[in-house]
Amino acid sequence: MSLISALPARAATIALRPAVAAALDHRTRAAALAFVAAAAWLLVAFVILRWPDLGDWGRGPELAWASVALAAILIVSGALAATGSTRLGRLQRATPWLIALGLVFSAWEAGSAKLGWLAQPFFPPPHAILEVFTDDWPKLGESIVASVKLELLGFALGAAVGFLVGVLLGRSRLFGYWVHPVLRLIGPLPAIAWLPIAFFAFPSSWSASIFLIALTTGFPVAVLTWSGVASVNPAYYDIARTLGASRAFLVFKVAIPAALPQVFVGLFMGLGASFAVLVTAEMMGVKAGLGFYLQWAQGWAAYANMYAALIVMSLMCTSFVSILFRVRDRVLSYQKADLKW
Amino acid sequence: MVSAAVAFEAGAGSSLDLRGVSHRFALEGAPLDVLDAIDLRVGAGEFVALLGPSGCGKSTLLRLVAGLDPPSEGELFADGEPIAGPHPSRVVVLQDPTLYPWRTVSANVALGLEARGVLRAQRARVGETLRLVGLSEFANAWPHQLSGGMAQRVALARALVNDPKLLILDEPLGKLDSLTRLTMQGEIASLWRRAGFTALLVTHDIEEALLMATRIVVLSERPARIKADIRVEKPYPRHRGDPELVARRHEILGLLGFESAW
Ligand SMILES: Nc1ncnc2c1ncn2[C@@H]1O[C@H](COP(=O)(O)OP(=O)(O)O)[C@@H](O)[C@H]1O
Ligand SMILES: [Mg+2]
C-alpha cells in the first residue's frame, strides 16, 4: 500500500477511534467478565468432583454438572458479547454477581465438604442444601403453601380492619373517643405477648395465629391511615363542599385518596412486622409452615434443611414486599416514582 | 369558543346581600374580632373587588359568602335566600390551585359534576370548559406536571364547569408570575363578561382590581369595616395607563394609608 492511498483511511480511523474504541472496549470487557464467571463456576465443579467429600452429602455430582452447564451458558454469552450482540443481556448484567457467587461457592465447598474447616454439621456444603430441595420438596412445598396462606389471611384481615379503624378515627369523633384509648394501650404491645393467651382463647392455634398476624399488621395501618386522613389539606374539603359534595363523597373521594400514600407506609410497616409473628406462631403453635419446618429441622439437627427453609422463607418475604410495591406503584401511579425495590 | 358561549347562559349571576355581618374567632384567651358589621349589596352580574390590608378578614368574608362557615352575627342572602351552607352555584377559586393530585386534569375539572351526580349526563362540558381555558391537550396530565399558571387555569375550569352564579376568587393570581397574571386577568374578565356570573375577587393588587372590577370595596384594618365603595365605570378591555384608572389608583392607595408611597 502506498503512503498516499493509506493517508485518508488512516484519517478516518483516527476520527472514528474514540467511539469505536469505546464500543470495542465495552464488548471486550463484557466478554472478559463472562469468561471469568464461567471459570469461577468451572472451579466450583472442579472442587466438587476432584476431591472426595469428608462426610455423606448427596447431590454433589448434580451440583457440579449444573455448574458446568452454567459455565457453558456464560461462555456462550461471552462470545455473544464479543460480537456486540445484546442477546442474553440480562445475564451479562449479572456477571459480576456470578463471579462473586462462583468464588463463594468454591470456597464454601472446599471449606466444608473437602477440608472440614467449617464446623460440621453446622455448615453443610451447598450440594447438601441442593439435596434438600431435590429430595424433600413435597414437605417444603407444603410448608410454603401453609405459610403463604396464613400470612395472606392474617395480613389481609389486619390491613382491612386497620384501614377501617384509621378512617373512622380520622372522621368520627365518637368512634375516636372509644377506640383511641384502646388503640394507644394495645397497639404498641408486641403481638407475640398475646401468644400464650391466644393459643387457648382461640379454637385452634391456626385461628389464633391469624388473629396475631392481623393484630400486628392492623396497628401501623390504623395509625398511618388515621394520620393520613387527619392531615388532609382542609382546602380539599372546602373545594369539594362548595361543589356540592355529600359526606360520603368527602370520605371516599377526598379523604381516602388523599390518605392513600400514608396508608401504604402503614401497610409496609405492618407487612414487615407480620413476618416475625408468622414465623413465631408457626414455631410455637401451628404445626405447619416454614417456621415449623425450620424448628422440626433443628430438632433433627438437619442443618441443610434449615438453610433451605431459610432461603425459601426469605424468598417468600421478599416476594410479598415486591408485590406490595407493585400494588403501590399502580395505585399511586400519579406520583413521581421515588424508590425502586 | 363558540361552544363555550353556548355553554354559559348570559345574565345568570346572583345578587348578594350582607346585613350586619360580624365574625370572630374564639382563640384561647381573647376572641379575635375579624369582621365588624359589614353591610354590602352586590347586584346580579357585578364584578366586585375587595381590597384591604393583609390579615384584615377578606378570606374570612369570602368563606362566609361561600357558606363554608356561618357568621357570628348578621345575615347573608343570595338572590334573597339566606346562605345556610355551601351551594354549587357559589364556587371558589383559591390562591393555591388545590387540585387533587390523584386525579388527572379532566377528572379534577369533572369534580363538581361527579359530586352532584350529573357527570354522566354532562361529561361533554368537561372538555368544553378545558377548551375554554386553553388546556385541552392536558386533559390527561397529572397536576404535578402543570406549571403554576396552568394549574390555576384548571382550578378556574373546575369552578366554571358548574355554571356558577357567583364566582368567589381569593387572590387567584397571587402566586403567579407577572406575565401569566396579566394574561389571566384579561381572560377572567372576558369570561365574566361572556358568562354573566357575579364575581367577588379578593386581591392585594390595586391595578388588578382596577383592570377587572366594576366596583372596588376597600376594607379597613382588622376588624374589617367597609372604608370605601368605588365604582369603576370603564369599558373593557382596560389599559393600565388610562389616566382615570391612574387617578383611582392614587385615591385607593391613599385610603389604604400609602399617600406618600409612590
Ligand atoms: N380558622 C381560623 N381560626 C382562627 N383565626 C383565624 C382563622 N382564620 C383566619 N383567622 C385570623 O383572622 C384574621 C383574618 O384572616 P383572613 O380572613 O385570612 O385575612 P385576609 O384578609 O388576609 O384574607 C387573621 O388574623 C387570621 O389569623
Ligand atoms: Mg386571605
Side-chain angles (χ1 to χ4, degrees):
Chain A
M1 203 195 319
S2 78
L3 186 63
I4 290 171
S5 66
L7 269 179
R10 215 155 138 204
T13 323
I14 291 168
L16 276 174
R17 189 172 286 160
V20 172
L24 278 177
D25 198 39
H26 175 75
R27 282 186 205 173
T28 33
R29 210 179 92 89
L33 276 176
F35 294 141
V36 173
W41 284 93
L42 287 174
L43 179 64
V44 175
F46 179 74
V47 171
I48 296 175
L49 296 176
R50 170 66 184 75
W51 291 285
D53 281 359
L54 293 177
D56 182 20
W57 295 288
R59 302 300 166 193
E62 287 86 349
L63 183 58
W65 293 119
S67 305
V68 171
L70 179 58
I73 295 171
L74 281 165
I75 288 168
V76 172
S77 111
L80 283 172
T83 67
S85 161
T86 52
R87 292 178 67 186
L88 295 180
R90 281 185 72 161
L91 188 66
Q92 281 171 25
R93 267 194 299 285
T95 41
W97 261 106
L98 287 170
I99 295 172
L101 284 176
L103 294 177
V104 168
F105 271 56
S106 302
W108 185 0
E109 281 290 350
S112 56
K114 312 300 176 185
L115 302 169
W117 289 347
L118 294 171
Q120 295 303 331
F122 308 110
F123 302 102
H127 60 266
I129 297 174
L130 180 65
E131 187 189 17
V132 177
F133 287 118
T134 56
D135 293 21
D136 203 26
W137 62 265
K139 196 157 190 297
L140 209 48
E142 230 170 72
S143 305
I144 296 171
V145 172
S147 285
V148 167
K149 216 163 115 190
L150 196 58
E151 170 66 25
L152 270 185
L153 278 171
F155 179 75
L157 189 69
V161 173
F163 177 75
L164 201 67
V165 168
V167 171
L168 286 170
L169 278 174
R171 296 289 303 178
S172 159
R173 227 166 252 177
L174 181 67
F175 186 85
Y177 176 81
W178 289 105
V179 175
H180 182 204
V182 179
L183 190 76
R184 276 182 71 172
L185 186 68
I186 291 177
L189 187 69
I192 314 265
W194 290 92
L195 210 98
I197 300 172
F199 278 159
F200 71 74
F202 276 79
S204 66
S205 57
W206 192 74
S207 52
S209 305
I210 296 219
F211 167 74
L212 294 178
I213 293 170
L215 195 65
T216 305
T217 307
F219 175 61
V221 173
V223 171
L224 276 132
T225 304
W226 174 27
S227 114
V229 170
S231 63
V232 174
N233 180 353
Y236 286 169
Y237 292 128
D238 290 342
I239 291 289
R241 283 174 63 206
T242 61
L243 296 178
S246 63
R247 264 187 79 94
F249 191 92
L250 292 182
V251 173
F252 291 105
K253 300 287 183 145
V254 183
I256 288 176
L260 271 186
Q262 290 264 57
V263 174
F264 272 98
V265 176
L267 287 173
F268 278 109
M269 290 170 59
L271 185 64
S274 72
F275 294 147
V277 180
L278 171 74
V279 176
T280 314
E282 286 176 341
M283 286 181 168
M284 307 281 287
V286 188
K287 295 273 173 272
L290 288 168
F292 173 66
Y293 186 100
L294 205 57
Q295 203 173 31
W296 165 85
Q298 193 206 11
W300 289 97
Y303 290 94
N305 296 60
M306 289 175 61
Y307 290 108
L310 267 183
I311 291 169
V312 172
M313 206 184 267
S314 56
L315 287 178
M316 180 187 77
C317 294
T318 194
S319 303
F320 274 121
V321 175
S322 303
I323 291 168
L324 190 56
F325 262 105
R326 284 275 174 83
V327 173
R328 185 201 67 159
D329 288 347
R330 189 151 251 243
V331 173
L332 305 184
S333 61
Y334 63 87
Q335 291 185 328
K336 288 174 251 183
D338 50 358
L339 176 75
K340 190 113 181 63
W341 170 247
Chain B
M1 285 298 169
V2 175
S3 60
V6 176
F8 298 103
E9 239 175 277
S14 63
S15 63
L16 274 180
D17 192 357
L18 278 59
R19 294 187 200 155
V21 170
S22 298
H23 198 70
R24 67 187 60 90
F25 289 107
L27 296 183
E28 285 156 56
L32 184 72
D33 283 307
V34 176
L35 300 174
D36 185 13
I38 303 278
D39 283 303
L40 180 67
R41 301 182 74 115
V42 178
E46 274 194 277
F47 194 133
V48 177
L50 294 172
L51 280 174
S54 170
C56 76
K58 303 181 293 294
S59 298
T60 306
L61 185 62
L62 292 193
R63 288 183 65 85
L64 302 186
V65 172
L68 288 169
D69 299 316
S72 306
E73 278 160 43
E75 290 169 305
L76 299 94
F77 299 89
D79 287 328
E81 299 280 322
I83 294 176
H87 192 275
S89 67
R90 298 185 294 268
V91 296
V92 292
V93 175
L94 305 171
Q95 183 172 27
D96 289 309
T98 51
L99 301 178
Y100 293 175
W102 59 89
R103 282 174 173 250
T104 61
V105 164
S106 65
N108 264 288
V109 174
L111 194 68
L113 303 179
E114 198 180 319
R116 302 197 325 268
V118 296
L119 180 59
R120 201 177 274 252
Q122 301 189 17
R123 185 175 288 282
R125 295 185 55 94
V126 175
E128 278 167 28
T129 316
L130 270 176
R131 207 169 322 134
L132 192 66
V133 297
L135 285 177
S136 296
E137 291 137 76
F138 291 88
N140 296 318
W142 296 109
H144 75 79
Q145 298 169 317
L146 305 178
S147 71
M150 286 154 73
Q152 200 54 291
R153 278 201 176 85
V154 176
L156 195 60
R158 178 179 61 188
L160 292 177
V161 78
N162 303 285
D163 216 350
K165 292 158 86 89
L166 174 66
L167 185 62
I168 299 168
L169 302 152
D170 194 354
E171 307 198 30
L173 310 180
K175 283 192 175 168
L176 304 183
D177 65 90
S178 54
L179 292 179
T180 310
R181 194 178 330 165
L182 276 183
T183 321
M184 286 192 70
Q185 284 166 355
E187 286 172 358
I188 294 176
S190 76
L191 279 170
W192 161 74
R193 277 193 296 151
R194 212 168 33 218
F197 51 76
T198 307
L200 205 51
L201 166 78
V202 162
T203 174
H204 54 245
D205 181 349
I206 301 176
E207 210 156 61
E208 182 168 293
L210 286 165
L211 284 173
M212 297 171 75
T214 55
R215 204 173 140 195
I216 297 176
V217 172
V218 182
L219 298 173
S220 69
E221 294 274 354
R222 190 185 65 232
R225 255 165 287 118
I226 293 181
K227 222 173 178 184
D229 192 339
I230 301 164
R231 295 206 169 267
V232 188
E233 272 142 12
K234 262 272 152 194
Y236 298 83
R238 296 174 180 170
H239 301 284
R240 37 186 55 214
D242 187 295
E244 193 188 324
L245 295 187
V246 172
R248 282 294 163 86
R249 193 175 116 92
H250 295 166
E251 182 190 337
I252 294 168
L253 273 173
L255 282 165
L256 292 170
F258 292 93
E259 293 97 318
S260 52
W262 49 284

